[in-house]
Amino acid sequence: MLTEADYAATVSAPGIVLVDFRAARSGSSRAFTREFAAAAGRHPGLVFASVDTEAEVALTARVGVRSAPTLMVFRDGVPVYAEPGYLPGDSLDLLVATVRELDMPAVRALFPEPVDPR
């Protein structure tokens, strides 16, 4: 589980980082946890991390998460996806494939200012 202390360093790291904002009381969060863990097994070179929205209230609010589950994806420190809701495994795999295919120089040209992940 990511905390306030290690969130920024984790999402700013090189490569692809997927962050699941989850709540233990949410049935869809619990269901998505299984899909997220299975996807982590299928994509061992990526970082799959989670934030407990109930324990990390300030972090959750600061990054704009309003419901759980919410998935955020970062590539080389750039936020490239953020959406609430449950995703099935095949959709997660498609998302990973899409993020791998991104032309990051073009993305950076569109967003020249660094985005503060906090």
Side-chain angles (χ1 to χ4, degrees), residues 6-17 47 74-78 108 117:
D6 56 7
Y7 177 80
T10 300
V11 302
S12 297
I16 298 172
V17 178
V47 174
F74 299 82
R75 176 147 173 218
D76 301 330
V78 177
R108 282 194 170 78

Side-chain angles (χ1 to χ4, degrees), residues 56-105:
E56 297 294 331
V57 175
L59 170 61
T60 300
R62 189 171 57 255
V63 299
V65 170
R66 295 196 170 126
S67 66
T70 289
L71 179 62
M72 290 187 171
V73 183
F74 299 82
R75 176 147 173 218
D76 301 330
V78 177
V80 295
Y81 179 88
E83 290 291 328
Y86 172 93
L87 282 177
D90 58 344
S91 294
L92 272 172
D93 292 339
L94 180 59
L95 177 58
V96 166
T98 301
V99 171
R100 285 180 198 243
E101 300 276 327
L102 288 174
D103 178 351
M104 289 310 291

